[in-house]
Amino acid sequence: APRDDDHFIFLRKVCERCADEEGVRVSFFVIQFLTGLTTASSLFLVASGLSIIFGVTRIVNFAHGSFYMLGAYVAYTLITRLGGDFGFWGGVLFAVLIVGLLGAAMEILVLRRIYGAPELYSLLATFAVVLMVEDAVLALWGPEDLLGPRAPALKGAVSILGRPFPSYDLAVVGFGPLVLGGLWFLFYRTRWGTLVRAATQDREMAGALGVKHSTLFTSVFFLGAALAGLGGALQLPREAANLGMDLNIIVEAFVVVVVGGMGSILGAFLAAVLIGELQAFGILVFPEITLVIPFLVMAVVLILRPSGLLGRPEAARLSAGAAAPPLLRRVRSGRLLLPLAVAALVILPLGLGDYGRMVLTEIVILGLFAASLNFILGAGGMVSFGHAAYFGLGAYAAALAVTQLGAGMLPALLAAPLIGGLGALLFGWFCVRLSGVYLAMLTLAFAQIAWSGATQWVALTGGDNGILGVWPAPWASGTLVFAYLALAVCGGCVLFLSRALFAPFGYTLRAGRDSPQRADAIGIDVRRHQWLAFALAGLCAGIAGGVYAFLKGSVFPTVMSIPTSVDGLVMVLLGGLHTLFGPVVGAAVFTGLKEEIGSLTNYWRAIVGAAILVLVLAFPQGIAGFLRERLLRAEDDA
């Protein structure tokens, strides 16, 4: 019954205030939920195309982010030129078609020529396309960020539970389910979709039944690139078109595809929603880990469910090349070439200036980094997208030993392989339980976790400001002495890895790569050997990182970033997979191209990308691999 006493009036006011606060809290969570769905929808548009391309062609398309960036830039030009209400949506539509055609052109002109090469070489080719597209965008649109106009009739905000939410973001939320429904109809209600699903499940059988792979692959690339272009074009009113869009989106798209399961469109949709919502609410609870939330999710999912949420184990295939025996037969003339190469490296620093010696030292360091990656990639068959983590751990260990502990250069160089090896031992224990793309992406997840720690643990690492003042000891401060020190340390490690390849451990490692079931049947613990190889590779990468820290005099989080890991892969593949010293050759070519061309023009990426593309098309087995084949053929003829 109604009461008028003061106590009742006080309680009623308290209840009304609590109800108001609860309503505010509910509306806030609803808005955050919708924000997460907006992010999820944008991610899905890009990830769905990436998943389709991999499911059919088995190509890890690193250039997919470039199509996303092109979609934004092309849409900006078309929208601003067309104008009017038709201008926005017409510009988006034409941008999607143009980007789709560019994707089809890349498949016809580049990838179709290397389908017979190991699958990783397609990754190298798409990386070359990334470099070329980035400089093409720079030349055509300039370095400034370009913010597109708002979509007509979607310029305001709608009120949801008393809180405003952008109308355009609400429309973007609807695009995700709309595209998902369209893809379901395309794949399950059309003949083309039936052929695509057949090629996804059994490409050889589909070919035997008369399915023309070339036409199917081209159409798949058109669709995948068009979806990426659509994602970029729709993002234009929300985010300015910029030159960093490609790398930012491709990493998150890979995460979504892998978490959902390679080749699964529905899995990609569920993964996008999961990651989008975790990002939306995670920033409220743990703002310090927002950079690494997607990678934490990927690591947890892959550890608990190795094939992703809706993926199948057979979709994880990403080989490091055929189980060919290049390492089982030595080139007899190599016994003469190796001493000549060592003698040349010993004499070369004497004829160079300070700058030339520093470039040579960097090549030697990166050669060891690439050789350590090749040890697990070539002999072990384990593809790593995050090998820079151990390079960076070694660099930070050496830097912290000098700046925090006051240690000298030699103790710091001993700490570098210790920390790098321990990191690889820890991460490798989880990674070797997977295979193919899932193993590669788990290495990427751990590398990004390490990178995030280096970026955000400011009290220890200095964050983005890095650690400065990491200089060699006075006796090694000269460029000539330091060059010989790097040659001795890094060259010795490369020779040690080459000896390990021909030791019983190396042969056992290759047996587990070529036929794990047979190796297991004769009593070889394949997983244990892979784990030890992973740790050994991390130890050698840590040594390279420690020497690199003293070369540069500083350490920044970029030493363990994704581009550094990709550079390592490029060096290995350029030099030649399954070759002893191919990674060193690849490091010399790649670093030399960047240093020399970068000093001549601002568009060095396009030239380096074109050079890499030419080398991939001309020498799909790598530079050292090509030379090795010629020497073996000459020996056989003789």
Side-chain angles (χ1 to χ4, degrees):
R3 297 175 55 185
D4 296 328
D5 56 89
D6 295 339
H7 181 65
F8 175 77
I9 294 173
F10 172 75
L11 290 178
R12 186 175 65 185
K13 289 183 177 179
V14 170
C15 292
E16 289 175 351
R17 180 177 299 175
C18 290
D20 292 340
E21 291 178 355
E22 185 66 24
V24 170
R25 188 178 298 111
V26 170
S27 64
F28 174 76
F29 284 124
V30 170
I31 294 298
Q32 284 297 108
F33 179 75
L34 290 175
T35 301
L37 287 182
T38 305
T39 302
S41 183
S42 300
L43 278 175
F44 173 69
L45 291 177
V46 184
S48 59
L50 187 64
S51 184
I52 292 169
I53 290 174
F54 179 84
V56 178
T57 66
R58 295 296 187 269
I59 288 176
V60 180
N61 182 19
F62 203 79
H64 201 68
S66 298
F67 296 133
Y68 171 83
M69 180 173 66
L70 284 172
Y73 275 97
V74 173
Y76 173 85
T77 299
L78 294 175
I79 291 171
T80 54
R81 293 288 178 87
L82 294 175
D85 291 343
F86 174 76
F88 183 86
W89 298 111
V92 169
L93 177 60
F94 286 126
V96 169
L97 293 176
I98 292 172
V99 174
L101 291 174
L102 291 174
M106 185 186 75
E107 191 277 334
I108 294 172
L109 299 176
V110 178
L111 297 177
R112 186 175 294 184
R113 301 173 183 273
I114 56 173
Y115 279 139
E119 293 171 350
L120 277 176
Y121 284 94
S122 62
L123 176 66
L124 180 58
T126 57
F127 173 73
V129 172
V130 170
L131 296 178
M132 297 169 67
V133 169
E134 186 172 347
D135 269 0
V137 171
L138 176 62
L140 292 174
W141 284 279
E144 296 83 9
D145 293 355
L146 303 177
L147 183 61
R150 296 179 180 272
L154 295 174
K155 295 181 180 180
V158 295
S159 178
I160 299 177
L161 297 179
R163 285 180 175 267
F165 188 77
S167 301
Y168 184 78
D169 286 6
L170 197 61
V172 172
V173 171
F175 269 98
L178 186 64
V179 170
L180 177 64
L183 291 176
W184 177 87
F185 178 84
L186 187 63
F187 285 122
Y188 290 93
R189 291 294 182 269
T190 66
R191 183 177 181 275
W192 181 86
T194 303
L195 296 179
V196 169
R197 287 187 290 115
T200 301
Q201 296 178 8
D202 194 332
R203 187 192 304 178
E204 289 74 16
M205 181 60 71
L209 294 176
V211 177
K212 193 174 181 180
H213 286 167
S214 58
T215 304
L216 187 65
F217 286 5
T218 302
S219 62
V220 165
F221 261 90
F222 173 83
L223 177 61
L227 288 171
L230 176 62
L234 292 179
Q235 197 71 7
L236 198 55
R238 304 181 66 242
E239 177 187 357
N242 59 85
L243 295 174
M245 294 178 70
D246 52 350
L247 182 59
N248 293 334
I249 195 65
I250 190 60
V251 174
E252 292 189 353
F254 271 131
V255 171
V256 169
V257 170
V258 171
V259 170
M262 298 298 293
S264 173
I265 303 300
L266 180 59
F269 181 79
L270 295 177
V273 172
L274 174 64
I275 292 174
E277 294 302 338
L278 285 175
Q279 286 181 325
F281 289 99
I283 195 173
L284 304 176
V285 183
F286 300 109
E288 297 83 4
I289 64 170
T290 52
L291 291 175
V292 79
I293 282 179
F295 303 98
L296 286 173
V297 172
M298 182 168 66
V300 171
V301 169
L302 291 182
I303 290 172
L304 298 179
R305 187 175 174 81
S307 57
L309 296 177
L310 299 181
R312 289 179 291 185
E314 60 268 21
R317 186 168 63 91
L318 177 63
S319 67
L327 287 173
L328 301 182
R329 178 185 171 189
R330 303 189 193 214
V331 182
R332 291 192 297 272
S333 56
R335 298 178 181 178
L336 177 61
L337 293 176
L338 180 58
L340 289 176
V342 172
L345 286 175
V346 171
I347 297 173
L348 187 59
L350 297 174
L352 297 175
D354 289 341
Y355 175 74
R357 290 168 187 161
M358 293 182 66
V359 173
L360 176 63
T361 304
E362 184 171 355
I363 289 174
V364 171
I365 294 170
L366 294 179
L368 173 58
F369 171 58
S372 65
L373 174 59
N374 187 51
F375 186 74
I376 59 174
L377 183 62
M382 295 177 286
V383 182
S384 175
F385 287 169
H387 200 62
Y390 320 114
F391 183 77
L393 286 174
Y396 270 104
L400 291 173
V402 171
T403 58
Q404 299 292 332
L405 302 179
M409 183 178 71
L410 294 182
L413 288 178
L414 292 176
L418 177 63
I419 300 302
L422 288 176
L425 197 67
L426 174 62
F427 295 158
W429 191 85
F430 297 99
C431 292
V432 298
R433 282 158 172 74
L434 305 178
S435 62
V437 174
Y438 298 122
L439 184 152
M441 294 305 295
L442 186 57
T443 62
L444 174 65
F446 284 132
Q448 284 299 100
I449 292 172
W451 169 81
S452 176
T455 302
Q456 297 188 323
W457 198 352
V458 179
L460 181 66
T461 65
D464 290 331
N465 294 323
I467 301 176
L468 307 178
V470 189
W471 301 113
W475 61 268
S477 59
T479 57
L480 180 62
V481 176
F482 192 82
Y484 281 123
L485 175 66
L487 279 171
V489 174
C490 298
C493 290
V494 171
L495 291 176
F496 169 75
L497 289 175
S498 67
R499 294 290 297 176
L501 288 174
F502 289 102
F505 177 79
Y507 284 103
T508 306
L509 188 63
R510 289 197 295 278
R513 174 202 68 187
D514 296 341
S515 184
Q517 294 180 342
R518 291 182 179 180
D520 184 69
I522 62 175
I524 297 175
D525 191 340
V526 175
R527 189 170 292 175
R528 178 173 172 269
H529 279 79
Q530 290 178 334
W531 184 29
L532 293 176
F534 208 94
L536 180 59
L539 185 145
C540 292
I543 293 175
V547 180
Y548 186 81
F550 285 104
L551 172 67
K552 297 297 184 181
S554 57
V555 179
F556 296 93
T558 52
V559 296
M560 58 176 66
S561 63
I562 293 175
T564 304
S565 294
V566 174
D567 287 350
L569 273 172
V570 171
M571 295 171 195
V572 172
L573 298 176
L574 268 182
L577 199 62
H578 301 302
T579 59
L580 290 177
F581 301 103
V584 180
V585 175
V589 172
F590 185 66
T591 306
L593 284 174
K594 286 206 305 182
E595 291 292 335
E596 293 302 319
I597 299 175
S599 62
L600 299 176
T601 175
N602 292 329
Y603 300 105
W604 62 270
R605 296 177 187 84
I607 300 175
V608 171
I612 292 174
L613 199 57
V614 170
L615 290 173
V616 170
L617 296 177
F619 312 113
Q621 69 275 56
I623 299 172
F626 172 79
L627 296 176
R628 186 179 183 279
E629 287 184 2
R630 296 295 297 269
L631 290 174
L632 285 174
R633 191 177 305 166
E635 291 177 359
D636 292 339
D637 293 340

